[in-house]
Amino acid sequence: MSPDGLLIAGTLLARRRMHQRDRWSRDRMLEFQGVELDRLLAYARTSSPYYQQVLPGAAHVPLTDLPVLTKSMLMDQWDRICTSPALRLAQVEGRLSEMERTGADPGHPWRGRWWLAGTGGTTGRRAVFAWDRREWTQILTSYARVNDWAGVAVGLRHPLRTAVVSSLNPTHQSAVVGASLRSRLVPALRLDARTPVADLTGELDRFEPRLLVAYASMIGPLAQAQLTGQLHIRPEKVVAASEVLTPASRSAAQAAWGPSVIVDSYAATETASIASTCSQGGWHLYEDFVIVEPVDEDYQPVPAGATADRVLVSVLFSRTLPLIRYELTDSIRLSPERCTCGLPFALLEAVEGRTEDTITLPGRHSSVRVHPNVFHNALEALAPNGWQVEQQPNKLVVRLVAPAGGTELVRRRVQEALADLTIDPVAVDVVSVTALERTRLGKVPLVKALPA
Ligand SMILES: [Zn+2]
């Protein structure tokens, strides 16, 4: 059997075990989570020089008493955190650069053992990760749940033709996942999100995807293309990946492909999938793969219903680089409600985006942090084709793609929304553009803050 065959067989087995957990009671799931956490802590304590030093020796210390690991700590201490002495950061970074240069197939494990990926963060140093076969199987299984819960059937008679519109960079986890699963079961078409939509439609039409996975910022433009007759695909589901999906893009996708077409997913390179939507539309956390702790800026817990500044994740299956209370700078909100679907997992209410996607402005009392949703509310109706707010010294620049109305109204709306937050008056320039500039990775940040 080829390595890929082994990987797919392992994933199918892990998937069957995962399906069983869907039917567990919440108590049973929490018990499983506790056992998995103890295993992770024990492994980290004995196999990672870093954790040997920072974790308390006593067993059963509450998770909330354990130290936080930030991205910069991870990258500074990588070789000491890593539990495999054969693996060194310099070699992994070298291999990732080589993959980018040569376009090597990321689906084949490096040295026959490791699957590698780097984060696509727009700020600061990128974090890099290596996973062994067992960990990589868990990651593939976690992503498979997104489709399982969405009710997308896969089988030899139903190959899951999947079109992915994101980054073609072979060091991104999505590329590594796609290359690992490439088979008759999952024929895949990968397209670059930086390509103009008019140049994507032909390939998508020919491929006829059953599943469309796209950066959230691409979903609106693709739905518009479908609605105006330039695109003619019939995906069963559309998975919004990597970015926050705006309400206007969601509505356009629903108009183009059906009211229940959108699958919300929340994932990160560090964790694989963290949450996705069930048959009832509830956005459930993958608490059997990762423990999610919403916290404030001082790492104090934030209760369900309130918006947290950041998230600490403990990745239960992580072993090569144990991630215990690892900081993701995402602003999220858990829901205090329970879903009617019967899944034992808690609900996520909102992902408001990366903390980097917020801007801070001087206010009447103190500086005020402005979340992208403030601009959503002010701009959605006036800018159905897309918008972006960039903070510049002493002003904000609002870019609108083919705006529906006059720019003066937009300026007033934005200024009113900021005044409601007791923010000092700020100059707002509104400009109309034909398209928003994508980053090197093909993403479109809704808000661009001044560099810190
Ligand atoms: Zn549910």
Side-chain angles (χ1 to χ4, degrees):
M1 205 185 266
S2 72
D4 286 3
L6 270 177
L7 193 67
I8 288 170
T11 305
L12 288 174
L13 187 67
R15 198 168 173 179
R16 209 170 308 148
R17 294 205 188 105
M18 174 180 74
H19 286 163
Q20 291 167 354
R21 302 199 288 270
D22 283 358
R23 293 190 293 274
W24 283 359
S25 68
R26 179 148 184 87
D27 282 349
R28 179 149 186 217
M29 192 282 298
L30 289 174
E31 191 188 321
F32 171 83
Q33 192 188 56
V35 170
E36 291 294 304
L37 176 63
D38 285 347
R39 282 193 183 137
L40 166 63
L41 293 175
Y43 189 84
R45 239 183 235 117
T46 52
S47 310
S48 154
Y50 172 81
Y51 282 113
Q52 229 157 46
Q53 190 187 343
V54 304
L55 287 180
H60 303 298
V61 175
L63 182 62
T64 48
D65 288 352
L66 301 183
V68 166
L69 181 68
T70 64
K71 183 168 81 173
S72 60
M73 286 160 72
L74 170 73
M75 294 312 292
D76 288 344
Q77 299 285 332
W78 205 97
D79 285 346
R80 292 185 65 234
I81 292 172
C82 183
T83 59
S84 179
L87 204 59
R88 299 290 84 168
L89 173 62
Q91 299 160 346
V92 173
E93 286 190 318
R95 173 60 184 164
L96 287 170
S97 304
E98 185 189 325
M99 281 161 67
E100 278 177 328
R101 235 179 18 252
T102 62
D105 179 351
H108 289 294
W110 177 55
R111 297 180 178 171
R113 283 181 74 180
W114 314 106
W115 283 263
L116 311 177
T119 56
T122 46
T123 53
R125 188 178 179 188
R126 80 169 171 181
V128 304
F129 295 90
W131 300 277
D132 67 14
R133 179 171 293 276
R134 193 189 140 278
E135 293 169 303
W136 192 243
T137 301
Q138 291 295 312
I139 285 173
L140 297 180
T141 306
S142 130
Y143 282 116
R145 180 183 266 169
V146 178
N147 299 339
D148 290 347
W149 283 0
V152 183
V154 195
L156 278 175
R157 260 182 282 167
H158 298 281
L160 184 55
R161 302 180 66 79
T162 303
V164 182
V165 185
S166 63
S167 164
L168 297 186
N169 188 316
T171 68
H172 287 192
Q173 195 182 48
S174 69
V176 191
V177 168
S180 304
L181 292 178
R182 200 178 31 219
S183 68
R184 275 190 304 145
L185 291 177
V186 189
L189 171 70
R190 295 189 65 85
L191 298 170
D192 191 335
R194 290 170 304 175
T195 312
V197 169
D199 297 335
L200 295 175
T201 52
E203 276 193 271
L204 284 168
D205 278 345
R206 277 191 295 282
F207 186 73
E208 297 181 16
R210 283 180 58 206
L211 184 68
L212 172 64
V213 180
Y215 281 164
S217 61
M218 287 302 292
I219 289 177
L222 289 170
Q224 290 299 339
Q226 180 93 16
L227 291 169
T228 54
Q230 299 153 273
L231 181 65
H232 315 84
I233 56 174
R234 289 271 154 231
E236 291 165 34
K237 294 288 174 183
V238 174
V239 179
S242 297
E243 301 168 302
V244 176
L245 184 68
T246 64
S249 294
R250 184 183 299 271
S251 307
Q254 288 166 335
W257 299 301
S260 56
V261 77
I262 289 286
V263 177
D264 289 293
S265 84
Y266 173 39
T269 304
E270 293 86 341
T271 55
S273 196
I274 301 173
S276 72
T277 39
C278 71
S279 58
Q280 307 297 309
W283 202 359
H284 293 272
L285 294 172
Y286 288 18
E287 291 169 293
D288 48 345
F289 287 96
V290 51
I291 298 179
V292 171
E293 296 175 74
V295 293
D296 64 16
E297 284 180 329
D298 301 318
Y299 301 120
Q300 295 306 302
V302 171
T307 300
D309 288 304
R310 52 202 68 209
V311 192
L312 302 179
V313 290
S314 297
V315 181
L316 296 170
F317 59 83
S318 63
R319 293 294 183 273
T320 304
L321 283 172
L323 294 182
I324 298 162
R325 305 197 86 206
Y326 179 83
E327 178 190 49
L328 294 179
T329 54
D330 291 335
S331 175
I332 70 162
R333 189 167 66 246
L334 300 190
S335 165
E337 311 286 322
R338 289 298 302 273
C339 190
T340 53
C341 71
L343 287 171
F345 310 111
L347 289 175
L348 179 63
E349 197 165 274
V351 178
E352 307 209 331
R354 297 258 152 177
T355 310
E356 292 97 291
D357 292 343
T358 62
I359 56 178
T360 303
L361 292 168
R364 205 180 303 151
H365 312 293
S366 60
S367 57
V368 179
R369 182 186 284 180
V370 186
H371 282 278
N373 63 344
V374 172
F375 298 110
H376 277 306
N377 298 340
L379 296 173
E380 279 292 325
L382 301 167
N385 302 308
W387 58 266
Q388 182 178 60
V389 175
E390 182 177 358
Q391 182 180 28
Q392 293 183 356
N394 304 318
K395 69 174 176 183
L396 296 181
V397 177
V398 179
R399 299 190 182 87
L400 305 173
V401 182
T407 54
E408 185 46 42
L409 180 59
V410 172
R411 187 202 330 276
R412 215 167 54 228
R413 283 276 176 84
V414 170
Q415 284 176 328
E416 283 167 3
L418 296 176
D420 286 347
L421 297 172
T422 70
I423 286 167
D424 292 341
V426 57
V428 175
D429 284 358
V430 182
V431 291
S432 172
V433 296
T434 50
L436 295 170
E437 201 178 307
R438 287 186 177 268
T439 66
R440 196 173 56 82
L441 304 174
K443 295 187 182 182
V444 181
L446 291 170
V447 173
K448 293 165 83 172
L450 274 180

